[in-house]
Amino acid sequence: MEGSQLWAFAAQFVVTLSLSIGWLIICRILRSMRVGIRVTLAYSIAGALALLGGLFSPDGPTLSGFVASLLVMAILYLRWKRSLKMQSLDARTIIGFELT
């Protein structure tokens, strides 16, 4: 990879991650106002935004945009699993809990 390609990948990754994290922040704010957006729905929409973020780049869909989207989706998946564990811990529906 050349330097310009690496910067293009980094920019696509940051934009895609920003879209997804922005949506999750909005969901957190709405949840505090008692709007019923569940964790799984919020992360599903964030994953869809991650896929769309890779498709809508100035040069059109690129391989680096697709890889950036997959990387963001992997990060979101790990955060979703952790959020479900934390939600279960808060609701006292699990007996043992380990953060991995």
Side-chain angles (χ1 to χ4, degrees), residues 78-79 81-87 89 94 96-100:
L78 295 173
R79 296 292 303 169
K81 281 179 49 176
R82 185 177 183 280
S83 293
L84 285 181
K85 285 180 184 178
M86 295 301 288
Q87 188 178 24
L89 180 65
I94 57 176
F97 182 74
E98 294 180 20
L99 278 176
T100 57

Side-chain angles (χ1 to χ4, degrees), residues 60-80:
T62 60
L63 180 62
S64 63
F66 182 68
V67 171
S69 294
L70 288 179
L71 188 58
V72 169
M73 288 181 65
I75 292 169
L76 288 174
Y77 174 73
L78 295 173
R79 296 292 303 169
W80 171 70

Side-chain angles (χ1 to χ4, degrees), residues 8-50:
F9 173 77
Q12 287 177 334
F13 177 76
V14 167
V15 167
T16 304
L17 187 64
S18 298
L19 285 172
S20 300
I21 296 299
W23 169 252
L24 292 174
I25 290 171
I26 290 170
C27 287
R28 173 74 53 114
I29 292 168
L30 291 176
R31 222 178 300 137
S32 67
M33 294 186 321
R34 303 292 186 235
V35 176
I37 297 177
R38 302 280 184 207
V39 171
T40 302
L41 177 64
Y43 276 92
S44 298
I45 293 173
L49 286 174

